[in-house]
Amino acid sequence: MASIQTLSDADRRTIARWAAACAERVLPLVDVEPAALDQVHDAVTRTRAYSAGESTAAEKIAQRMIAVKAASRASTPAGAAAARSAAQASGVAHLAAHALGAAAYAVKAVSLAHPGSPEAEQAEIRWQLEHLTADERAVLRRLPALGADSSGPLGPGLLARGILGDVIRRIQAEVGSGDAVVE
């Protein structure tokens, strides 16, 4: 049985656009050697292609771990988080819930790049919420709340803890309420 975090292929294609946009914003923070940087950029490009219907879920799923491996070669925590944002975006073809992971890791990258500046973190969350389309919001509403289902990335693992969990809970609360403005 498929995870409730998977959703339909159409839903995954819809939310992939937003996941790629979140990851793309933090690509300048990725600090890996050129070959790994190309892999991270390629993950975002492939996610956009999947969103546009230019590749299949099977093709994307087969390549989803490439950016994960590139992230392990980052020289700073902010760079690793930014590369993980691209890796999460790349995973949307597999499970729609990875879109929230892409957003959360993007916020974490910004937070790590600007220590002591909660304004930067808040601005990133605000940007993410403001750039969700109505269709993308509808897709996010179909995902279970963080921690409510253990069969995917929204289970009790890494995305449920610390800043990642805080960001996902905040996005889910905002999307669930239909209010895109974060104070």
Side-chain angles (χ1 to χ4, degrees):
M1 180 176 166
S3 167
I4 61 172
Q5 297 181 43
T6 301
L7 303 181
S8 70
D9 187 60
D11 285 343
R12 293 190 316 268
R13 287 181 189 281
T14 296
I15 201 61
R17 188 220 56 92
W18 179 70
C22 291
E24 191 169 51
R25 278 183 51 87
V26 295
L27 284 178
L29 299 176
V30 178
D31 55 355
V32 294
E33 72 274 3
L37 184 59
D38 289 345
Q39 292 171 334
V40 173
H41 280 267
D42 187 53
V44 174
T45 299
R46 287 190 328 267
T47 302
R48 287 197 179 283
Y50 171 72
S51 177
E54 298 167 3
S55 66
T56 67
E59 290 168 338
K60 287 289 299 138
I61 290 167
Q63 298 172 329
R64 74 184 189 277
M65 297 305 288
I66 294 171
V68 172
K69 291 175 186 169
S72 70
R73 298 192 299 268
S75 59
T76 66
R84 286 187 183 101
S85 178
Q88 288 283 321
S90 181
V92 171
H94 179 238
L95 291 167
H98 283 297
L100 290 167
Y105 270 111
V107 172
K108 182 175 183 174
V110 168
S111 178
L112 290 168
H114 302 283
S117 177
E119 303 82 24
E121 181 181 314
Q122 298 307 316
E124 189 64 21
I125 294 169
R126 197 169 24 258
W127 183 92
Q128 291 175 351
L129 291 166
E130 290 170 352
H131 286 82
L132 276 166
T133 67
D135 288 342
E136 291 161 352
R137 285 175 175 276
V139 169
L140 290 180
R141 281 190 204 100
R142 286 193 277 282
L143 289 170
L146 183 64
D149 174 59
S150 63
S151 64
L154 297 180
L158 288 174
L159 293 182
R161 297 189 293 254
I163 187 171
L164 301 173
D166 292 345
V167 169
I168 291 171
R169 284 181 196 90
R170 186 161 177 192
I171 291 170
Q172 286 191 313
E174 292 289 337
V175 169
S177 71
D179 181 10
V181 179
V182 178
E183 298 300 327

